[in-house]
Amino acid sequence: MELSQDKLRVAVAGCHRMTHRTPGSHNFATAFHAAPETDVVAVFDLGAETRTEFVDCWREVWGEIPSYHDYRQMLAEIQPDLLCIATRQTMHADQIELAVEAGVHGVLCDKPLVTSLAEMDRIVAACQEVPLLLGLDRRWMPRYCALRELVADGVIGEVTSATAYALSNLINHGCHSYDAILGLAGDVEPVWVSGLVDDVSAEPPDSRRRMDPAGNAQIGLANGAVLYVTPNGRHENAGMTFEVAGENGRLFLLDDANESYLWSADDPSGAGLRPLDLPEETEPWPAGKAMVSDLVEAVQTGGRTACDIEHVRRATEIGFAIHGSSMQGGAKVDLPLADRSFRVESYPWGNE
């Protein structure tokens, strides 16, 4: 299928977080609206009322959007250029495979990606020639982009370790933690994981913590650096916190990097911690527009996105590897993990 001559035509699968026009995390319709290169031309959702709410919300922007209860039918009739998947992760592998077979040129997928590494392997295989973008916001947040550049420029020297105080659970939100800390450490390949999953045996039978618990872990990188992820020290109202240690200094990133400091070991002034002047967000959810623009550029140039299959593979595999290590008493497990079948069930999601 050839690319559209004008705007790229987008089909949305799963729209229950896109039935209003306030930009914010997971509202990918607002991100496509902000990107002049794209138009949403179809929507799939298993909830008739939700589909109607979506069409009503966006009618004055994109007209009378065709809505579908049948995903395959939408792909066959619309033949979109781009697919935005925001369904439950139990559906992602099948839907991405079908979309690539139908000829889509790029896929934006909401997190978490999958419920098993076997499903992840199917997605990675399907997207070898088609750019995939997993919506882990910090890949496009201006302050995190600036921080990764500072680290790459050697502001603290070679990274030797980093700690993320962030994990509310290992799979559904853990992918944010792993991807962010890997990016801050230079995106070096992880080669082993050691961790323990929290004991949730005392939790009520219907507790989400039983379905997807938190845990503590170490992640060994190919260059010898070690990363640490833990829910300990995390404050509910303060966002993620990171400490990145290098040979010549440290970064302290508080409140999801809204407050960030540099300590330099060779600062002749002995000034101690120095506040970092990082870019501020001047509009609601700038990461949304940035990720759509990234996907559009990848499709138009034959490139890949800032959170494509290699980033997706790493950020997904680590959570499952922590489970695998915990089953062996916290022993180191090599990556890629041998067991690809272990499954962590999905949270209830919209109408799915």
Side-chain angles (χ1 to χ4, degrees):
M1 184 177 68
E2 296 296 324
L3 280 174
S4 302
Q5 294 302 306
D6 298 316
K7 295 189 176 186
L8 295 177
R9 302 165 67 252
V10 182
V12 171
C15 62
H16 77 280
R17 289 187 169 184
M18 308 181 208
T19 58
H20 60 86
R21 290 169 61 176
T22 302
S25 186
H26 304 286
N27 191 347
F28 298 107
T30 64
F32 285 107
H33 182 210
E37 308 93 339
T38 64
D39 275 338
V40 172
V41 298
V43 62
F44 156 81
D45 198 283
L46 294 180
E49 290 185 9
T50 306
R51 294 196 305 269
T52 299
E53 289 177 13
F54 181 89
V55 172
D56 289 346
C57 174
W58 294 102
R59 181 178 288 110
E60 67 181 60
V61 175
W62 292 306
E64 198 65 31
I65 302 168
S67 66
Y68 292 84
H69 185 269
D70 187 314
Y71 177 77
R72 291 173 182 263
Q73 181 185 3
M74 179 184 73
L75 291 178
E77 293 183 2
I78 299 299
Q79 297 186 330
D81 299 313
L82 304 179
L83 178 68
C84 173
I85 295 182
T87 51
R88 196 174 184 177
Q89 67 260 41
T90 54
M91 307 170 75
H92 289 177
D94 287 343
Q95 289 178 333
I96 289 173
E97 285 178 336
L98 288 169
V100 172
E101 289 172 7
V104 301
H105 297 281
V107 177
L108 189 161
C109 186
D110 203 354
K111 67 86 194 168
L113 185 69
V114 290
T115 59
S116 74
L117 292 178
E119 292 173 357
M120 181 196 77
D121 292 340
R122 290 168 53 196
I123 291 173
V124 170
C127 293
Q128 289 296 307
E129 305 298 329
V130 173
L132 171 71
L133 185 150
L134 185 63
L136 300 178
D137 308 57
R138 288 160 189 81
R139 282 288 164 180
W140 299 272
M141 286 182 178
R143 59 188 182 274
Y144 279 97
C145 291
L147 285 163
R148 290 193 297 271
E149 288 181 9
L150 284 172
V151 172
D153 289 343
V155 69
I156 58 172
E158 184 175 351
V159 173
T160 55
S161 70
T163 303
Y165 303 94
L167 288 177
S168 54
N169 48 60
L170 293 174
I171 304 298
N172 280 270
H173 297 93
C175 51
H176 280 298
S177 306
Y178 316 134
D179 185 63
I181 198 171
L182 284 168
L184 292 168
D187 281 315
V188 178
E189 186 71 19
V191 294
W192 60 263
V193 169
S194 172
L196 293 172
V197 178
D198 286 357
D199 182 0
V200 293
S201 58
E203 290 288 318
D206 59 348
S207 169
R208 284 193 171 195
R209 293 195 66 224
R210 275 186 177 269
M211 185 182 298
D212 188 6
N216 293 272
Q218 302 175 69
I219 303 159
L221 304 185
N223 64 355
V226 179
L227 311 181
Y228 304 86
V229 288
T230 178
N232 301 326
R234 177 178 180 268
H235 298 282
E236 290 298 326
N237 298 322
M240 293 185 181
T241 296
F242 298 95
E243 179 180 352
V244 186
E247 292 180 330
N248 301 324
R250 292 180 182 234
L251 291 173
F252 298 91
L253 316 178
L254 310 177
D255 190 22
D256 211 359
N258 281 299
E259 186 178 353
S260 298
Y261 300 90
L262 168 67
W263 175 80
S264 179
D266 54 6
D267 184 351
S269 70
L273 290 178
R274 176 166 64 86
L276 291 174
D277 184 17
L278 300 177
E280 296 184 1
E281 296 185 356
T282 58
E283 57 184 292
W285 199 41
K289 179 181 178 181
M291 68 175 70
V292 168
S293 296
D294 188 10
L295 181 61
V296 168
E297 182 178 0
V299 168
Q300 292 177 337
T301 63
R304 309 299 300 202
T305 73
C307 194
D308 215 309
I309 51 176
E310 292 306 308
H311 307 88
V312 166
R313 173 182 58 78
R314 297 174 187 132
T316 302
E317 184 147 21
I318 287 170
F320 289 94
I322 296 170
H323 280 277
S325 171
S326 189
M327 292 175 193
Q328 300 179 43
K332 283 185 180 180
V333 294
D334 292 331
L335 301 179
L337 197 65
D339 181 5
R340 317 300 281 181
S341 63
F342 177 74
R343 184 178 176 89
V344 175
E345 288 298 327
S346 164
Y347 290 166
W349 186 256
N351 324 278
E352 317 298 354

